[in-house]
């Protein structure tokens, strides 16, 4: 292996770790932290500020790592002669979902994400809130496996 192959191993690793940290953190926050906060708000009041701050830092760092490593990996894949239109379309869908996730994060932060009880926003928050980030993230992991399969097929069959 030459230096560029080692470089791309590190870039793929950074991309995967950032995705796992963000999606895993979102799942933990949605399934563990938020329900505890709802059922025991007085107990969690002091804890939520540092937890939210640390989670925000994790998400910010993950997004930066995902964007930088994603750009490098995208250019690498599209400069490969085995890149197919199908691969490009599926990758485009993955990128659009990721961009929507970035938009959701920044939108939720800007709004403070505290829907009023009984509001339309509260009723659909499971679709557009932090739960959506976790669900979309899991979906992106599925798309990644499909992309990996497409890439391996192009190598195996010389497409």
């Amino acid at each position: 292996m030459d230096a560029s192959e080692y470089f791309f191993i590190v870039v793929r690793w950074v991309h995967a770790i950032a995705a796992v940290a963000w999606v895993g953190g979102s799942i933990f926050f949605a399934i563990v932290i938020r329900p505890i906060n709802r059922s025991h708000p007085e107990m969690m009041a002091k804890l939520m500020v540092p937890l939210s701050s640390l989670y925000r830092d994790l998400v910010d760092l993950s997004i930066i790592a995902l964007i930088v490593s994603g750009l490098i990996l995208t250019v690498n894949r599209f400069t490969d002669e085995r890149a197919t239109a199908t691969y490009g379309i599926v990758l485009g869908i993955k990128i659009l979902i990721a961009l929507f996730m970035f938009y959701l994060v920044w939108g939720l932060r800007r709004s403070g994400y505290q829907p009023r009880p009984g509001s339309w926003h509260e009723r659909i928050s499971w679709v557009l809130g932090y739960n959506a980030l976790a669900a979309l993230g899991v979906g992106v992991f599925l798309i990644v496996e499909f992309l990996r399969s497409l890439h391996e097929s192009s190598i195996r069959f010389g497409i």
Side-chain angles (χ1 to χ4, degrees), residues 7 10 19 22 26 28 33 35 40 44 53 58 79 81 92 104 106 118:
F7 172 75
V10 170
W22 184 18
S26 295
F28 183 75
I33 301 296
H40 298 78
M44 292 292 290
S53 176
L58 170 74
T79 57
E81 65 274 355
L104 273 179
W106 289 315

Side-chain angles (χ1 to χ4, degrees), residues 99-156:
L99 290 173
F100 181 65
M101 290 172 68
F102 300 157
Y103 171 78
L104 273 179
V105 165
W106 289 315
L108 290 170
R109 279 191 194 163
R110 221 174 322 114
S111 71
Y113 192 64
Q114 295 299 324
R116 289 185 312 269
S119 70
W120 70 270
H121 191 247
E122 182 188 48
R123 286 191 288 276
I124 66 163
S125 66
W126 65 274
V127 175
L128 298 176
Y130 290 105
N131 294 342
L133 289 172
L136 289 169
V138 170
V140 167
F141 275 101
L142 179 63
I143 292 170
V144 166
E145 287 306 311
F146 185 61
L147 286 168
R148 185 181 333 256
S149 176
L150 287 172
H151 183 68
E152 288 172 1
S153 293
S154 71
I155 291 170
R156 192 171 39 249

